[in-house]
């Protein structure tokens, strides 16, 4: 027996009358609703010249695409119609090529350009599930119930450049029943009648009889998509208002309250007609009186003394139970199946029986894998079910997530009904027209797959260092936000698809994320430039370019993480097998600095994610914007919710809480040595979490007289002034052999004078502003100390006389070993030069190593023996020979001594986010 999803969900027919006037149509949209509109328009004789829908997801086409492809209708699957707010010419040209006379948009989640909307002779019409102008925007059905409307309905309207504001063509309405839900409204009226109305609307247009009734603004409303964070039910109000709130949030995102200190989501609300059955009282936070757990569910009372009953409860760990079972051991809650769905369930039970032939009967508790099923059986199950119900979206991973027959049927029915559609990502962008583009910057906390304000709604200004202006306000995360983000990451790791995903599939998502970063590289580089002061060309090549490379490199590692077998002494007469497994750590925290905001994120996050962990990341307070843009791209890449969480805010609050949090198993930090020590202490005291630290440096660069002088000058300057000197591995001290010292300094100063200082977005700029005002002030103080101690200021040392936080490239000579500037890092464009005696290789090595830091180092010489001798004796995690700043995603990066421990990049970095488990088997 072959079912179609529409036959299972609802049955209706449109008139078979064949109208005289027909149109050439473009269908733009998706979903089962779109499929039914398409099919019925063709039945009425209209010619569909093109279907424009979303790309396949995990290799599965949208139902609209499936139907159109089967009919031979041209199908276009564009990921997007616009880039940076502008229509994509190739996409628009492809659309125009079909020659549509009318665009029909039954359900469309994409932003369609106005030159497409207005292109056809008759324009475009859209279906919206509310009686406009009421409930414009997303989640209109939900808001119809939340606000207690007595009537529901839909509108077919002419598209314009507003949000659901175009003239009305046709409207239909129905009464809202006292216990209607989103499902019942949709299935009873909005779906079947909506399809009829779309067909009727097209014919009215074809016959020249379609009205254009302007929408009034009187009574207009706009509501966005509700988020879990603001779906808490207010129990201090009349019962009907409580009931409306609960049913309006059922199933997504779910209204919740607090019971016994934990959040509990409420499902299946209905008004109670008579008195409540006998039961056990239950205290509920904020309620006017205790609830009662009865055999029918949880009874809640409003302030008016009336009551409602809630059928199901879901706890923070995801477990759902009948509310009647609150005080006893719960059992899985079920969606109520229709008669048609029950028939399907029995057919699927027969499919299970055919696969699990060794099982005498398929019970609700039968587990697919515990009954002997293997991976090929998964493929068979999925394909047989899809064959029985054309149009249902099902994939192999779904079987692994719902292994019992009961859970599989529940998942299948929800998928069939479209109840598990992903929520639209709502972003309150800060926009800026800059660098010949409009950049769109998220500015809120990113927690559990969505952007939201900080718990206390507190914000702060992020500043453009080029001129000191405010870019935008950014959410200032609190301790409560940290706890919610960690809880989301823990849930995603322990119960979400990320932890159960095949490593190769995880790699595919990271590759997709890298592709999206590349697609948005100019926007990312522009944001990086205005937020951190990085010269745009450097931001494009290094800040963003190396970030993309890093994600691609670690994406390739996902399916290559291996343990090994180990020969051990056998426990005679038995035998033993010992092997090791590399496993993810769990929830990881990452705290990054402000000098390379996106690149530091990539260096740590890519390895962390490739290993299978989830993460909570705190960007530097002064440079949060590219991290938040990255979060947006991660959603578009399909990274499951909760896997990545981004919290802008202070190190003292957010960073400290991450260090202390008992559910975090690893913390990776890049920053100063004093803060690194504090983090290490907090991580030890809290729960002995694993730590990797990339800390301060005072990297020595030794330049011998037999060097290639041109290269030594060029690379020596790069070692200090690269990225305005805000560089972890910057050469903090140059040792120049006495015989070439004066020539070297003269040539450096000559080259500095050629450097252009200015707007980082100017392609000819060599040297941009320092990252923020406090850092500039610190650098000026650093130079004053150098002068007071007797070092010679050869060049610079002052702030540039212009708006913004610009500092002159600076050169100090005659720097003695005891001086402050010889020992301490400037982290800015300050070259600190000391002489060493001709031929004194061991003496200069001793001076170079006389520091508590050991991040990087370098040597310039044409003598390969000398180069190898020096490189072996320099006490640093990286040694550059006749080059500098040459890092690569495949080469490990990290320091010695008080520059920290642990590695970023390369295979070594992956090991920082894995644990080794040894398994011994006796047989």
């Amino acid at each position: 027996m072959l079912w179609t999803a529409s036959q299972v969900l609802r049955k209706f027919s449109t008139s078979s009358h064949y109208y005289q006037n027909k149109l050439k149509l473009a269908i733009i949209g998706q979903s089962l609703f779109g499929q039914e509109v398409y099919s019925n328009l063709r039945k009425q004789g209209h010619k569909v010249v093109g279907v424009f829908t979303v790309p396949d997801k995990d290799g599965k086409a949208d139902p609209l695409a499936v139907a159109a492809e089967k009919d031979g209708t041209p199908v276009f699957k564009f990921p997007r119609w616009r880039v940076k707010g502008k229509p994509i010419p190739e996409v628009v040209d492809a659309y125009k090529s079909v020659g549509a006379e009318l665009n029909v948009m039954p359900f469309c989640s994409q932003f369609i350009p106005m030159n497409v909307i207005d292109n056809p002779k008759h324009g475009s019409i859209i279906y919206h599930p509310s009686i406009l102008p009421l409930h414009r925007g997303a989640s209109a059905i939900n808001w119809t119930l939340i606000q207690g409307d007595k009537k529901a309905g839909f509108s077919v309207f002419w598209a314009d450049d507003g949000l659901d504001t175009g003239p009305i063509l046709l409207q239909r309405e129905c009464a809202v029943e006292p216990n209607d839900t989103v499902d019942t409204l949709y299935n009873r009226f909005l779906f079947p009648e909506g399809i009829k109305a779309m067909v009727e609307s097209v014919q009215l247009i074809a016959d020249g009889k379609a009205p254009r009734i302007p929408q009034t603004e009187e009574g207009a409303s706009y509501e966005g998509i509700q988020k879990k964070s603001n779906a808490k039910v207010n129990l201090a109000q009349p019962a009907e208002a409580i009931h409306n709130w609960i049913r309006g949030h059922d199933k997504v995102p779910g209204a919740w309250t607090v019971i016994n200190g934990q959040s509990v989501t409420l499902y299946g609300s209905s008004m109670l007609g008579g008195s409540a059955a006998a039961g056990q009282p239950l205290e509920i936070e904020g309620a006017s009186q205790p609830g009662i757990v009865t055999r029918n569910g949880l009874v809640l009372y409003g302030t008016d003394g009336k009551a409602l009953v809630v059928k199901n409860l879901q706890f923070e760990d995801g477990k759902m139970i009948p509310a009647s079972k609150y005080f006893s051991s719960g059992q899985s809650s079920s969606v109520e199946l229709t008669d048609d769905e029950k028939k399907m369930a029995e057919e699927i039970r027969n499919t299970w029986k055919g696969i699990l032939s060794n099982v005498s009967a398929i019970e609700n508790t039968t587990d697919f894998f515990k009954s002997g099923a293997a991976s090929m059986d998964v493929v068979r199950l999925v394909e047989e079910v899809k064959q029985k119900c054309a149009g249902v979206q099902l994939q192999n991973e779904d079987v692994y997530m719902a292994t019992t027959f009961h859970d599989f049927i529940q998942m299948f029915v929800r998928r069939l009904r479209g109840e598990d559609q992903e929520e639209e990502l709502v972003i309150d962008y800060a926009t800026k027209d800059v660098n010949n583009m409009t950049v769109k910057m998220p500015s809120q906390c990113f927690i559990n797959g969505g952007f939201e304000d900080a718990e206390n709604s507190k914000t702060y200004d992020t500043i453009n260092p080029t001129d000191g202006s405010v870019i935008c306000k950014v959410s200032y995360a609190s301790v409560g936000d940290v706890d919610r983000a960690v809880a989301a990451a823990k849930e995603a790791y322990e119960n979400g698809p990320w932890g159960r995903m095949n490593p190769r599939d995880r790699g595919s998502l990271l590759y997709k994320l890298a592709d999206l970063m590349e697609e948005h590289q100019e926007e990312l580089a522009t944001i990086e430039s205005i937020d951190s002061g990085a010269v745009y060309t450097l931001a494009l090549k290094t800040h963003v370019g190396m970030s993309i490379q890093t994600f691609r490199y670690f994406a390739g590692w996902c399916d290559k993480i291996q343990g090994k077998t180990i020969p051990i002494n056998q426990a005679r007469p038995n035998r033993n097998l010992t092997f090791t497994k590399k496993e993810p750590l769990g929830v990881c925290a990452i705290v990054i600095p402000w000098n390379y905001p996106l690149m530091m994120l990539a260096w740590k996050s890519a390895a962390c994610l490739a290993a299978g962990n989830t993460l909570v990341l705190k960007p530097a307070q002064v440079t949060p914007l590219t991290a938040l843009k990255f979060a947006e791209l991660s959603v578009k890449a399909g990274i499951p919710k909760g896997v990545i969480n981004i919290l802008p805010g202070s190190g003292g609050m957010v960073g400290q809480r991450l260090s202390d949090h008992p559910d975090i198993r690893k913390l990776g930090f890049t920053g100063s040595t004093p803060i690194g020590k504090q983090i290490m202490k907090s991580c030890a005291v809290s729960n002995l979490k694993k730590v990797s630290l990339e800390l301060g440096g005072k990297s020595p660069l030794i330049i011998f007289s037999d060097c290639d002088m041109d290269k030594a000058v060029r690379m020596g300057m790069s070692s200090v002034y690269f990225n305005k000197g805000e560089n972890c591995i910057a050469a903090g001290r140059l040792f120049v052999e006495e015989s070439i010292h004066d020539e070297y300094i003269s040539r450096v100063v000559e080259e500095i004078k050629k450097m252009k200082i200015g707007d980082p977005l100017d392609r000819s700029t060599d040297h941009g502003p320092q990252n923020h005002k406090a850092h500039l002030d610190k650098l000026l103080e650093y130079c004053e100390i150098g002068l007071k101690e007797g070092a010679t200021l050869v060049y610079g040392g002052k702030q540039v006389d212009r708006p913004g936080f610009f500092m002159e490239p600076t050169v100090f000579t005659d720097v003695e070993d005891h001086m402050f500037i010889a020992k301490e890092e400037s982290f800015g464009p300050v070259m600190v030069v000391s002489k060493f005696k001709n031929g004194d290789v061991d003496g200069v090595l001793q001076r170079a190593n006389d520091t508590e830091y050991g991040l990087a180092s370098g040597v310039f010489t044409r003598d390969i023996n000398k180069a190898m001798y020096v490189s072996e004796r320099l006490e640093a995690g990286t040694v550059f020979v006749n080059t500098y700043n040459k890092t690569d995603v495949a080469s490990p990066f990290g320091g010695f001594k008080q520059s920290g421990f642990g590695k970023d990049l390369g295979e070594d970095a992956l090991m920082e986010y894995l644990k080794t488990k040894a398994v011994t088997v006796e047989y």
Side-chain angles (χ1 to χ4, degrees), residues 742-817:
D742 293 349
E743 179 189 357
Y744 186 85
I745 297 300
S746 175
R747 292 185 59 174
V748 165
V749 171
E750 182 181 337
E751 292 301 317
I752 289 175
K753 292 177 180 178
K754 299 176 185 177
M755 292 173 64
K756 180 179 178 179
I757 302 173
D759 183 355
L761 294 175
D762 185 334
R763 301 324 191 247
S764 63
T765 294
D766 299 301
H767 189 80
Q770 305 309 135
N771 187 276
H772 52 281
K773 180 66 164 58
H775 184 54
L776 173 63
D777 294 341
K778 178 183 172 184
L779 288 171
L780 296 173
E781 182 183 3
Y782 184 91
C783 292
E784 289 175 8
I785 293 172
L787 279 171
K788 288 178 182 177
E789 288 190 328
T792 301
L793 179 61
V794 175
Y795 193 89
K798 300 188 295 294
Q799 182 174 356
V800 178
D801 185 17
R802 58 169 292 160
F805 312 140
F806 292 84
M807 181 175 179
E808 297 174 336
T810 299
V811 180
F812 278 103
T813 61
D814 302 319
V815 178
E816 298 178 13
D817 294 351

Side-chain angles (χ1 to χ4, degrees), residues 23-253:
L23 293 176
K24 292 190 291 184
L25 307 175
I27 309 293
I28 304 176
Q30 62 204 77
S31 77
L32 289 171
F33 185 77
Q35 177 190 18
E36 290 292 338
V37 170
Y38 159 83
S39 298
N40 281 276
L41 285 169
R42 290 185 76 249
K43 287 178 184 177
Q44 298 305 321
H46 297 286
K47 181 175 178 59
V48 179
V49 293
V51 164
F52 299 82
T53 187
V54 293
D56 296 355
K57 184 176 181 180
D58 300 323
K60 307 297 188 298
D62 183 86
L64 173 58
V66 171
E69 288 171 342
K70 183 178 179 181
D71 295 333
T73 302
V75 176
F76 303 82
K77 301 177 182 180
F78 300 133
R80 63 196 59 80
W81 292 71
R82 305 184 305 176
V83 171
K84 301 172 185 174
K86 296 181 180 179
I88 303 172
E90 310 87 86
V91 173
V92 174
D93 289 343
Y95 159 79
K96 290 181 177 179
S97 69
V98 303
E101 296 172 324
L102 173 70
N103 292 332
V104 179
M105 302 168 68
F107 171 74
C108 182
S109 64
Q110 297 177 309
F111 291 99
I112 310 301
M114 286 306 299
N115 60 343
V116 170
I117 294 291
D118 296 333
N119 182 74
K121 173 183 176 182
H122 297 291
S124 303
I125 59 170
I126 303 177
Y127 170 90
H128 184 77
S130 78
I131 306 171
L132 292 173
L134 196 62
H135 307 312
R136 292 170 176 164
S139 301
I141 313 175
N142 303 72
W143 284 103
T144 297
L145 296 174
I146 291 170
Q147 297 195 352
D149 297 351
K150 300 305 180 184
K151 292 183 178 180
F154 57 81
S155 306
V156 179
F157 67 97
W158 299 91
D160 64 5
D161 60 355
L163 183 60
D164 304 333
T165 56
I168 302 298
L169 190 159
L170 178 152
Q171 287 185 323
R172 297 282 187 271
E173 62 183 42
C174 69
V176 177
E177 301 296 334
N179 291 319
D180 258 334
T181 64
V182 172
D183 283 350
T184 59
L185 268 178
Y186 188 70
N187 294 335
R188 183 179 83 244
F189 184 82
L190 298 175
F191 183 98
E193 296 302 318
I195 295 166
K196 293 178 185 178
M198 289 297 281
V199 175
E200 181 182 346
S201 297
V202 171
Q203 194 57 51
L204 286 170
I205 296 169
D207 294 338
K209 298 177 180 179
R212 291 178 179 263
I213 304 170
Q215 286 192 43
T216 176
E217 287 304 303
E218 183 179 350
S221 66
Y222 169 80
E223 300 93 4
I225 292 177
Q226 279 289 81
K227 295 182 288 187
K228 191 74 175 181
S229 58
N230 57 15
K232 184 178 181 181
V233 60
N234 174 16
L235 297 172
Q237 56 183 330
E240 187 175 357
I242 298 172
H243 165 61
N244 289 336
W245 185 268
I246 295 172
R247 64 174 175 156
H249 287 84
D250 190 343
K251 303 289 188 201
V252 177

Side-chain angles (χ1 to χ4, degrees), residues 516-531:
L516 282 167
M517 291 170 70
E518 186 171 54
E519 184 179 318
H520 290 263
Q521 61 183 334
E522 292 181 350
E523 184 179 21
L524 287 167
T526 301
I527 297 171
E528 191 93 331
S529 187
I530 64 174
D531 202 26

Side-chain angles (χ1 to χ4, degrees), residues 512-696:
K512 187 174 181 181
L513 179 54
D515 291 344
L516 282 167
M517 291 170 70
E518 186 171 54
E519 184 179 318
H520 290 263
Q521 61 183 334
E522 292 181 350
E523 184 179 21
L524 287 167
T526 301
I527 297 171
E528 191 93 331
S529 187
I530 64 174
D531 202 26
S532 75
V535 172
Y536 175 75
T537 50
L538 177 65
L540 195 61
K541 178 182 183 297
T542 300
H543 290 233
V544 179
M546 193 172 188
S547 299
I548 296 166
Q549 292 177 25
T550 302
F551 270 97
R552 286 186 174 142
Y553 173 80
F554 283 108
W557 266 109
C558 288
D559 60 355
K560 301 171 186 67
I561 299 170
Q562 301 177 21
K564 55 188 176 182
T565 57
I566 303 171
I568 66 169
N569 289 338
Q570 305 296 325
R572 297 174 182 173
N574 297 318
R575 298 182 63 80
N576 298 98
L577 169 65
T578 295
F579 61 92
T580 61
K581 297 173 62 182
K582 296 290 186 182
E583 298 180 346
L585 301 170
V587 180
C588 298
I590 293 174
V591 181
I592 57 174
W594 43 258
N595 57 325
Y596 295 102
L598 186 63
M599 194 171 80
M600 291 296 99
L601 176 152
W603 281 20
K604 296 186 186 298
S605 299
C608 175
L609 295 170
N613 302 287
T614 59
L615 64 87
V616 180
L617 182 140
K618 192 200 88 65
Q621 184 173 343
V622 292
T623 54
L625 296 180
T626 44
L628 294 171
K629 189 68 180 180
F630 166 84
E632 176 191 348
L633 298 180
S634 74
V635 175
K636 293 181 178 179
I639 304 295
K641 61 172 59 177
V643 173
I644 295 172
N645 304 272
I646 311 286
L647 298 177
S650 74
M653 184 183 297
V654 176
Q656 186 62 51
R657 179 57 179 157
L658 291 172
S659 301
D660 294 336
H661 204 291
D663 289 333
I664 291 174
R665 295 300 170 190
K666 158 72 194 279
L667 191 147
F669 172 74
T670 295
S672 72
T673 297
I675 298 299
K677 289 179 179 179
Q678 178 61 43
I679 285 175
M680 190 173 178
K681 180 179 178 180
S682 298
C683 289
V685 170
S686 57
N687 62 341
L688 275 177
K689 57 177 64 71
K690 189 176 181 179
V691 180
S692 58
L693 304 171
E694 194 255 280
L695 307 175

